[in-house]
Amino acid sequence: MSRYFTDEHEWIDVEGEIATVGITDYAQEQLGDIVFVELPAEGTNFDKGDDAAVVELVKAASDVYAPISGEVVESNSALEDEPALVNSDAEEDGWFFKLRIADTSELEGLMNEAAYKKFVAAL
């Protein structure tokens, strides 16, 4: 499995043709307490950069973007009952959705973990 990162602070785990997508620990720390998560429906198709999900905070909301193009094959229903899971375990159990990858070449423009850490350190 390979993990990639975006400059919008999403992480992507790729296993075969399926990519699991979530937001990074850095992103959840910047957002604060997450009180609601709106997830995409299975079968929804996204192009890279589309708004794919929404996280709601106490006084604001933030979009989560599709880091690559693909079709949603599963959403993390555990977040509907426990949105704070994103705060407590953003990079494992707090994943948002899984995509069937439409174009693997889109992964080439993403960062690996070392590059993402360097990116965040410069913010």
Side-chain angles (χ1 to χ4, degrees):
M1 182 173 5
S2 299
R3 181 168 274 196
Y4 300 90
F5 296 86
T6 73
D7 58 4
E8 296 291 337
H9 307 286
E10 287 103 8
W11 57 264
I12 309 160
D13 279 343
V14 176
E15 190 166 355
E17 64 177 5
I18 303 299
T20 303
V21 178
I23 64 172
T24 64
D25 272 332
Y26 175 83
Q28 69 83 19
E29 287 174 11
Q30 296 299 308
L31 291 169
D33 291 338
I34 294 170
V35 296
F36 181 78
V37 177
E38 182 179 319
L39 299 168
E42 288 183 27
T44 304
N45 284 289
F46 291 114
D47 290 327
K48 180 178 180 178
D50 284 350
D51 297 345
V54 177
V55 291
E56 292 187 16
L57 316 166
V58 175
K59 293 184 178 179
S62 182
D63 292 323
V64 176
Y65 303 103
I68 56 174
S69 302
E71 176 187 358
V72 176
V73 296
E74 183 179 354
S75 291
N76 187 356
S77 59
L79 296 182
E80 294 172 356
D81 296 331
E82 191 180 352
L85 194 56
V86 178
N87 292 117
S88 64
D89 198 10
E91 297 193 12
E92 295 297 333
D93 291 340
W95 59 275
F96 280 65
F97 54 89
K98 295 183 180 189
L99 290 174
R100 179 171 289 112
I101 301 169
D103 182 359
T104 55
S105 71
E106 292 178 346
L107 296 169
E108 294 171 12
L110 302 176
M111 293 178 269
N112 63 22
E113 186 168 2
Y116 179 73
K117 285 182 178 179
K118 187 175 179 180
F119 171 75
V120 168
L123 296 177

